[in-house]
């Protein structure tokens, strides 16, 4: 069925398409709802500069005043990350945001859909949502499966990510992705990386060591009617946390979140705030480095794809 909802694709993005210039999409929820002000805006500007250095255009995706928007301008992005988005929208929430004229940042699942509608093939984010099957009394996140994984099974967009959100089980997340026929490509790694760290305990089915190798895998996958694909890009080495630094802090914060009954919508900023305190600022610096590095890799891969 043909969609009756039109996209607001901004002039810079349209001009880049016409000039065969690489365009990559950017998830806005981490900037508006996870990173604190003004670090969020500074990180966005660094990511945008990294993409421009590679000869591309970074298209921030959101719902802006009820319109599915691709390529927020600088003023709009500042408004969004400084409190202009009272909520974040997953794929499920897009209809409400459009119908009510809302301005909201978008998660991976919503951003994938909007990027695909605009003809963008590669999306950069920090972490994807994952899956959990831990059965603990009082834990309302047991058997949680993120909408990101479902969208990856349906929408042919590559997502460059540093792993799944830390509250999820990486092995189970990888199993769900396999069930949904979503390839996980380790970029420079043989394992699905743990977010904030470089290492992971679950092997990936494919590896790429250059943008050209990653692009070849995407081309083959989409040539066989594949949908989404995960490019698992470990946290940059100079910003990554060690297991001894991250894992005890993560266990403490997850326990706090469970005891405080923190809902899924509020979980990301809660984790960021508490983890950053326990790691003495290292978690925030790692998240910032991840977003910039993933934006850069996304445009390098897009540039290597056939036009």
């Amino acid at each position: 069925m043909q969609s009756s909802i039109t996209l607001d694709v901004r002039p810079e993005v349209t001009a880049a398409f016409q000039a065969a210039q690489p365009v990559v999409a950017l998830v806005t929820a981490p900037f508006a709802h996870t990173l604190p002000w003004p670090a969020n805006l500074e990180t966005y500007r660094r990511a945008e500069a990294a993409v421009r250095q590679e000869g591309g255009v970074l298209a921030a995706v959101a719902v802006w005043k009820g319109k599915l928007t691709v390529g927020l301008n600088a003023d709009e992005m500042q408004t969004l990350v400084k409190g202009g988005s009272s909520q974040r929208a997953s794929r499920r929430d897009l209809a409400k945001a459009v119908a009510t004229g809302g301005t909201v940042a978008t998660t991976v699942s919503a951003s994938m859909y909007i990027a695909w509608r605009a003809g963008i093939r590669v999306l950069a984010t920090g972490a994807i949502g994952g899956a959990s099957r831990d059965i603990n009394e009082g834990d309302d996140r047991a058997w949680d499966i993120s909408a990101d994984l479902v969208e990856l099974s349906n929408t042919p967009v590559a997502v460059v990510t540093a792993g799944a959100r830390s509250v999820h089980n990486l092995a189970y997340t990888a199993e769900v992705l396999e069930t949904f026929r979503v390839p996980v490509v380790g970029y420079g790694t043989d394992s699905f990386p743990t977010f904030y760290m470089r290492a992971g305990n679950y092997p990936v089915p494919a590896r790429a060591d250059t943008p050209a190798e990653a692009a070849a895998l995407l081309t083959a996958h989409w040539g066989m009617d594949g949908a989404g694909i995960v490019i698992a890009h470990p946290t940059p080495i100079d910003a990554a946390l060690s297991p001894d630094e991250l894992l005890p802090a993560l266990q403490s914060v997850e326990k706090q979140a469970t005891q405080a009954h923190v809902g899924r919508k509020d979980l990301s900023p809660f984790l960021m705030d508490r983890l950053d305190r326990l790691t003495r600022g290292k978690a925030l610096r790692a998240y910032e480095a991840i977003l910039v590095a993933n934006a850069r890799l996304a445009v390098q891969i897009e540039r290597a794809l056939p036009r």
Side-chain angles (χ1 to χ4, degrees), residues 172-202:
Y172 187 42
T173 299
E175 290 172 8
V176 171
L177 287 169
E178 180 181 0
T179 300
F180 286 168
R181 301 171 297 168
V182 177
V184 178
V185 179
Y187 191 85
T189 181
D190 293 312
S191 63
F192 197 169
T194 300
F195 193 56
Y196 293 116
M197 300 197 312
R198 292 187 61 79
N201 295 322
Y202 197 89

Side-chain angles (χ1 to χ4, degrees), residues 290-301:
I290 285 166
L291 289 165
V292 175
N294 287 354
R296 186 187 299 276
L297 178 59
V299 73
Q300 291 172 342
I301 293 172

Side-chain angles (χ1 to χ4, degrees), residues 13-21:
V13 176
T14 299
F17 281 143
Q18 293 172 344
Q21 187 179 2

Side-chain angles (χ1 to χ4, degrees), residues 2 21 26 50 52-53 65 68 77 79 84 124 172 183 191 193 205 214 244 259 271 297:
Q2 184 69 30
Q21 187 179 2
L26 180 71
R52 290 193 187 281
Q53 288 171 1
K65 297 181 179 179
L68 304 182
M77 192 65 184
T79 298
Y172 187 42
S191 63
D244 290 342
Q259 292 173 341
L271 291 174
L297 178 59

Side-chain angles (χ1 to χ4, degrees), residues 6 8 20 25 27 33 41 54 80 89 128 152 183 191 206 220 232 250 280 297:
T6 59
D8 184 3
V27 176
H33 295 282
L41 182 61
E54 298 290 338
L80 190 79
I128 59 170
L152 279 160
S191 63
L250 187 57
R280 300 179 182 180
L297 178 59

Side-chain angles (χ1 to χ4, degrees), residues 98-245:
V98 170
T100 59
T103 292
V104 294
T106 48
T107 67
V108 170
S109 64
S111 300
M112 284 184 69
Y113 170 73
I114 297 171
W116 170 73
R117 284 280 308 274
I120 298 175
R121 300 174 289 184
V122 185
L123 173 76
T125 190
I128 59 170
S132 174
R133 60 180 174 190
D134 297 326
I135 307 296
N136 295 312
E137 187 175 354
D139 186 355
D140 60 5
R141 293 188 301 277
W143 297 100
D144 174 24
I145 297 179
S146 170
D148 296 351
L149 306 186
V150 179
E151 197 67 31
L152 279 160
S153 71
N154 286 284
T155 303
V157 170
V159 179
V160 181
T161 175
R165 292 195 192 103
S166 52
V167 294
H168 290 117
N169 182 304
L170 277 186
Y172 187 42
T173 299
E175 290 172 8
V176 171
L177 287 169
E178 180 181 0
T179 300
F180 286 168
R181 301 171 297 168
V182 177
V184 178
V185 179
Y187 191 85
T189 181
D190 293 312
S191 63
F192 197 169
T194 300
F195 193 56
Y196 293 116
M197 300 197 312
R198 292 187 61 79
N201 295 322
Y202 197 89
V204 291
R207 173 173 175 153
D209 292 307
T210 66
E213 290 178 1
L217 284 165
L218 300 186
T219 301
H221 179 62
W222 292 330
M224 293 182 285
D225 301 318
I229 188 166
V230 173
I231 305 295
H233 187 210
T235 303
I237 192 168
D238 57 347
L241 277 71
S242 70
D244 290 342
E245 291 174 311

Side-chain angles (χ1 to χ4, degrees), residues 37 41 44-45 73-84:
W37 172 267
L41 182 61
Y44 166 72
R45 288 172 174 168
N73 64 38
D75 290 341
E76 291 166 341
M77 192 65 184
Q78 179 167 331
T79 298
L80 190 79
V81 304
K82 200 177 180 180

Side-chain angles (χ1 to χ4, degrees), residues 46 239 272 276 279-290:
R46 287 171 54 204
M272 179 79 266
D276 201 48
T279 60
R280 300 179 182 180
K282 290 184 178 181
L284 177 59
R285 290 193 293 273
Y287 208 132
E288 294 169 346
I290 285 166

